[in-house]
Amino acid sequence: MSTIAAVLAATPSPSPTSTVPDVDVTPGVAGFIAIAVVAVVTILLVIDMTRRIRRTRYRAEIRERLEAEAEASTTADGRAAVTTDEPGRRAAEDGRADLGDDTERG
C-alpha cells in the first residue's frame, strides 16, 4: 500500500502551461466570416424551402381543381363532355408529363 501512495504522491498534477490569457483568445476575422457565411446560407436555404413547399401546395390545389372539373364535365355514360369555352385546354394538359413534377424552376 505504501508503494501506491508513493507513486500517487510523486505524480505531479498537471498545471496550465499557457502563457496567453483566455480573454485574449478569439476566433478573429476568419471565424466571424465563417459564421456570417453559414448564417447567410441558412437564410437562403429557408427561403428556397419555403418557396418549394408553397409551389408544391399550389400545384396540388390546382391538380385537385382540374380533377374536380374533369369529374364534373363527365357525362352519365362515362364520356367526357366537350366544353366550348376552352376547346384545346384539356387535350394540352393531358399530354403534360410534369403535372405533378416539382423539378422545374419558375
Side-chain angles (χ1 to χ4, degrees):
M1 185 106 181
S2 64
T3 56
I4 295 175
V7 171
L8 290 176
T11 308
S13 62
S15 62
T17 59
S18 175
T19 59
V20 179
D22 291 338
V23 178
D24 293 338
V25 178
T26 62
V29 176
F32 174 77
I33 291 173
I35 296 299
V37 166
V38 168
V40 168
V41 167
T42 303
I43 290 170
L44 292 174
L45 283 173
V46 168
I47 290 171
D48 184 54
M49 180 185 66
T50 304
R51 282 185 193 157
R52 289 177 185 268
I53 290 172
R54 187 175 297 138
R55 186 184 321 147
T56 303
R57 186 179 57 214
Y58 289 155
R59 285 184 179 175
E61 290 174 6
I62 290 172
R63 188 179 317 117
E64 289 173 3
R65 193 177 312 148
L66 290 174
E67 289 172 358
E69 287 177 6
E71 289 176 10
S73 65
T74 304
T75 60
D77 61 353
R79 289 184 290 158
V82 178
T83 57
T84 57
D85 56 345
E86 298 171 351
R89 178 175 172 213
R90 290 300 304 169
E93 288 176 352
D94 289 341
R96 288 184 53 179
D98 66 335
L99 191 58
D101 190 16
D102 193 28
T103 58
E104 67 180 339
R105 294 276 177 176

